Amino acid sequence: MKPIFEYTKGMREQDTHYCPGCTHGIAHRLIMESLDERNALGDTIGVCPIGCSVTAHQYFNVDSCEAAHGRAPAVAAGIRRAWPEKYVFTYQGDGDLASIGAGEIVHAALRGEKFTTFFINNAIYGMTGGQMAPTTLLGQKTTTSVDGRKKEISGMPLRVAEMLSTIDGAVFVERVALDSPAHIRSAKKAIVKALDVQEKRLGFSFVEILSTCPTNWGMTPVKAQAWLRENMIPYYPLGNFRCPEEVK
Ligand SMILES: Cc1ncc(C[n+]2csc(CCOP(=O)(O)OP(=O)(O)O)c2C)c(N)n1
């Protein structure tokens, strides 16, 4: 009998350490499935961040390495320049990419480095216990904004996809979300296009993935999905910001 569903070969067969309802696992699965579908698992090098996904290399069934906090784009740039025929990606949270690593990602985009960044925006620092991130929403309570983020103190939340889409070297920029099956399907399409950009060596490709952190948001997984939909998507609109003709 022909199987109607198979576990992707892109993920190693082991449990993850993620909290219930965390969408890191869905993001992992979509990226690995997309690489598997193009038979690229043996030709890929992932660069993992510091954050909850610090051990993602134990789940990704591809060669991977670890970068210092925020420095994954520099590591990926070096790898991709040394091995231009490989698929190279970074997988980074909002603390990693938009705080300590903000300069790194801007300059990788500026230089048009030919790797893909998957940016997991869950509006909080997950691993370290729920501190405010640059992407934390106004009014959102975190352990370092106990009365809610205030514009006068912390400024407005950073829209990374919009910022990077002003940089010519970032040829593919899209924001997706993991709050519903329809959005998860769209997320997969964006991931596939970002990998197409990489295969054609067109420039830097970037997919921002709006994600949940039920533990640090203090919600059930189901409420976290709704919170993402009702609060994050209005501020972080989904859609494509830049896409080269060759992959449309
Ligand atoms: C140089 C340095 N500074 C600070 C830290 C502490 N630290 C570890 S993970 C992290 C932020 C993680 O948040 P995020 O990137 O949003 O990923 P998440 O855990 O939410 O997936 C911080 C500040 C560190 N490990 N190294």
Side-chain angles (χ1 to χ4, degrees):
M1 213 165 43
K2 198 167 171 262
I4 54 165
F5 176 82
E6 277 179 305
Y7 197 73
T8 175
K9 291 194 294 297
M11 294 287 288
R12 295 180 204 274
E13 282 201 44
Q14 66 171 80
D15 294 342
T16 71
H17 70 289
Y18 297 119
C19 302
C22 165
T23 46
H24 269 306
I26 300 175
H28 285 16
R29 160 89 197 244
L30 295 179
I31 297 164
M32 288 302 123
E33 204 176 66
S34 305
L35 287 163
D36 186 14
E37 282 164 6
R38 60 178 68 212
N39 290 322
L41 294 176
D43 291 309
T44 299
I45 302 169
V47 184
C48 300
I50 303 300
C52 284
S53 47
V54 65
T55 51
H57 50 80
Q58 291 179 9
Y59 313 135
F60 295 155
N61 199 10
V62 296
D63 286 340
S64 310
C65 69
E66 188 64 54
H69 203 19
R71 309 302 177 223
V75 175
I79 294 173
R80 174 74 199 215
R81 285 182 183 212
W83 281 300
E85 73 287 357
K86 300 276 186 199
Y87 287 92
V88 178
F89 70 89
T90 73
Y91 184 100
Q92 301 176 257
D94 42 52
D96 190 87
L97 181 142
S99 286
I100 196 167
E104 295 281 344
I105 196 70
V106 166
H107 285 272
L110 184 72
R111 297 190 305 270
E113 298 290 352
K114 293 175 186 58
F115 64 86
T116 302
T117 288
F118 299 110
F119 170 45
I120 309 301
N121 178 1
N122 61 8
I124 208 158
Y125 290 7
M127 183 200 209
T128 43
Q131 292 84 3
M132 183 172 59
T135 53
T136 294
L137 293 177
L138 281 190
Q140 187 183 337
K141 291 185 177 160
T142 69
T143 53
T144 49
S145 58
V146 287
D147 296 323
R149 178 178 183 147
K150 291 191 174 65
K151 182 182 169 188
E152 314 77 69
I153 298 173
S154 310
M156 294 296 285
L158 187 62
R159 293 188 177 101
V160 179
E162 284 85 338
M163 175 179 73
L164 294 181
S165 67
T166 66
I167 300 174
D168 287 348
V171 298
F172 182 88
V173 180
E174 186 154 333
R175 182 182 289 121
V176 298
L178 301 180
D179 63 304
S180 67
H183 283 163
I184 290 170
R185 277 195 292 276
S186 303
K188 170 91 183 276
K189 286 187 188 145
I191 290 166
V192 169
K193 281 190 182 169
L195 295 174
D196 288 344
V197 167
Q198 208 180 139
E199 188 185 329
K200 295 181 194 303
R201 305 182 188 187
L202 300 174
F204 177 65
S205 47
F206 181 85
V207 184
E208 175 169 341
I209 304 174
L210 300 184
S211 300
T212 60
C213 181
T215 299
N216 287 295
W217 293 356
M219 295 173 200
T220 63
V222 173
K223 282 205 173 125
Q225 299 282 345
W227 192 88
L228 187 165
R229 197 171 309 127
E230 288 157 18
N231 298 279
M232 290 183 78
I233 294 179
Y235 187 82
Y236 297 116
L238 305 185
N240 182 268
F241 295 89
R242 294 191 83 175
C243 185
E245 281 302 323
E246 293 90 327
V247 304
K248 271 184 185 158

